[in-house]
């Protein structure tokens, strides 16, 4: 479990001992009763922020905390994708969210991870949900048929041919029938 951060008076004292008196990490740790790792972390934060003791000598605790411990805003460090463009890409055949994310990462190397990208995309979809049609299913009442997606190559004795995949399902029982066909036959319905 992470330890609670010291109050800013101790952080200020760490900077004073290091910058004005030139104490070592061990000496500072003994003086303010902090571990050397914690002292090193505070000094590293001050160096990264470009802060010296003279800069914070007259500042209050809230100002010091804002200078040294400010959490970066995720929107600043990682650019958000254009969700309308992502949604348009997802409508194209054979496009997956993984492919769209890879294109996003090619453009923004420090962008969101795939899991965060998926989460943000789901949140975007929930903001503008697609209309849904609810229906009550009864046994043997209907059969749904269609051709699934794109064609796929099938090896035959005469070489490779493209086949369309016919899919039929009974929605109540979730029974599925599939068949590869040379040509698409018109689906009545």
């Amino acid at each position: 479990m992470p330890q609670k951060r010291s109050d800013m008076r101790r952080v200020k004292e760490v900077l004073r001992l290091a910058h004005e008196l030139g104490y070592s990490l061990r000496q500072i740790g003994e003086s303010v009763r902090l571990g050397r790792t914690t002292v090193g972390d505070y000094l590293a934060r001050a160096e990264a922020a470009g802060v010296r003791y003279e800069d914070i000598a007259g500042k209050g605790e809230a100002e010091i905390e804002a200078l040294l411990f400010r959490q970066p805003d995720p929107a600043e460090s990682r650019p958000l994708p254009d969700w309308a463009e992502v949604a348009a890409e997802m409508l194209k055949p054979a496009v997956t969210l993984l492919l769209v994310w890879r294109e996003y990462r090619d453009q923004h190397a420090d962008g969101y991870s795939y899991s965060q990208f998926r989460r943000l995309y789901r949140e975007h979809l929930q903001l503008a949900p697609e209309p849904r049609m609810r229906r009550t299913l009864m046994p043997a009442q209907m059969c749904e048929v269609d051709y699934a997606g794109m064609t796929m190559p099938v090896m035959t004795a005469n070489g490779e041919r493209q086949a369309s995949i016919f899919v039929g399902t009974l929605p109540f029982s979730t029974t599925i029938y599939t068949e590869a066909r040379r040509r698409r036959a018109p689906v009545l319905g």
Side-chain angles (χ1 to χ4, degrees):
M1 185 164 109
Q3 292 183 341
K4 188 177 181 221
R5 187 167 55 232
S6 300
D7 61 35
M8 292 302 116
R9 288 177 302 190
R10 289 171 87 180
V11 174
K12 194 183 225 183
E13 182 65 10
V14 165
L15 295 179
R16 185 184 77 78
L17 293 173
H19 296 154
E20 287 194 344
L21 302 177
Y23 278 23
S24 69
L25 293 180
R26 184 183 57 77
Q27 291 171 319
I28 296 170
E30 288 174 359
S31 298
V32 294
R33 296 186 182 180
L34 288 173
R36 284 185 300 198
T37 307
T38 305
V39 170
D41 177 53
Y42 292 161
L43 292 174
R45 285 176 178 273
E47 186 177 334
V51 173
R52 305 236 353 123
Y53 175 72
E54 301 82 37
D55 302 332
I56 63 166
K59 295 188 187 249
E61 291 189 13
E63 293 174 287
I64 296 169
E65 187 167 8
L67 280 171
L68 300 180
F69 298 98
R70 182 181 73 91
Q71 295 296 323
D73 185 12
E76 289 177 9
S77 60
R78 295 184 179 140
L80 274 173
D82 179 8
W83 295 118
E85 187 177 312
V86 171
E89 286 290 316
M90 291 296 291
L91 293 175
K92 295 178 181 175
V95 172
T96 64
L97 196 57
L98 180 62
L99 290 173
V100 174
W101 172 75
R102 285 181 179 159
E103 290 177 1
Y104 162 76
R105 282 302 288 259
D106 288 344
Q107 293 174 356
H108 309 286
D110 59 338
Y112 289 100
S113 66
Y114 181 57
S115 60
Q116 290 295 316
F117 189 84
R118 279 192 343 241
R119 182 185 59 79
L120 291 168
Y121 182 63
R122 279 194 308 267
E123 287 176 7
H124 170 74
L125 291 179
Q126 288 174 356
L127 293 176
E130 293 181 13
R132 305 272 188 230
M133 181 176 75
R134 302 274 183 219
R135 58 184 179 190
T136 306
L137 301 174
M138 301 298 291
Q141 185 178 22
M142 74 169 70
C143 175
E144 295 177 341
V145 295
D146 201 357
Y147 282 90
M150 300 174 11
T151 60
M152 62 183 290
V154 175
M155 294 302 295
T156 65
N158 299 333
E160 185 177 299
R161 292 181 176 248
Q162 293 296 315
S164 298
I165 306 299
F166 172 81
V167 179
T169 182
L170 299 172
F172 184 81
S173 65
T174 64
T175 302
I176 298 174
Y177 170 79
T178 61
E179 180 181 310
R181 311 255 336 193
R182 280 192 186 175
R183 292 190 198 131
R184 268 190 183 186
V187 175
L188 304 175

